[in-house]
Amino acid sequence: QRAEASVRHLPPLELHVSFPPSYPSSAPPDFHLVSPWLSSEHLSRLCAGLDEQAEGMPGSPIVFVWAEYLRNDSAALLGLAVGAGGGAAG
């Protein structure tokens, strides 16, 4: 049996970034995701997605791309349906 709920806002997902001296020319930034409501499995999926983004854009500034990726694609990646109002339901 499947239950559905409508959610307007979720707690924040925090992206902590530190920049090595060789960023962005030869190394992406180091990052850490923090979320009180996501499981370690979900966080691992999101981290893998960020790693893929960085690998696809070597030598490019990536932090804005990461922020957009998390904002726009994280709900789908985590299996949450996004409604017309931009809220997640699941």
Side-chain angles (χ1 to χ4, degrees), residues 2 11 13 17 19 26-27 31-32 37 39 42 57-59 62-63 68 70 75-76 78-79 81 84 86 88-89:
R2 182 180 169 140
L13 173 62
V17 179
F19 298 96
S26 62
F31 70 90
H32 181 73
W37 60 278
S39 68
H42 285 137
M57 298 178 65
I62 194 72
V63 176
E68 288 298 303
L70 291 171
L78 298 174

Side-chain angles (χ1 to χ4, degrees), residues 3 15 45 47 52 67 78:
L15 173 62
R45 279 193 222 161
C47 287
E52 288 175 20
L78 298 174

Side-chain angles (χ1 to χ4, degrees), residues 12-83:
L13 173 62
E14 297 178 18
L15 173 62
H16 297 260
V17 179
S18 60
F19 298 96
S22 56
Y23 174 80
S25 61
S26 62
D30 296 316
F31 70 90
H32 181 73
L33 286 176
V34 177
S35 174
W37 60 278
L38 288 175
S39 68
S40 59
E41 179 184 335
H42 285 137
L43 287 170
S44 292
R45 279 193 222 161
L46 291 174
C47 287
L50 297 179
D51 286 334
E52 288 175 20
Q53 295 285 319
E55 290 168 7
M57 298 178 65
S60 299
I62 194 72
V63 176
F64 182 75
V65 173
W66 282 349
E68 288 298 303
Y69 173 79
L70 291 171
R71 188 172 70 112
N72 295 321
D73 300 333
S74 59
L77 185 65
L78 298 174
L80 302 173
V82 177

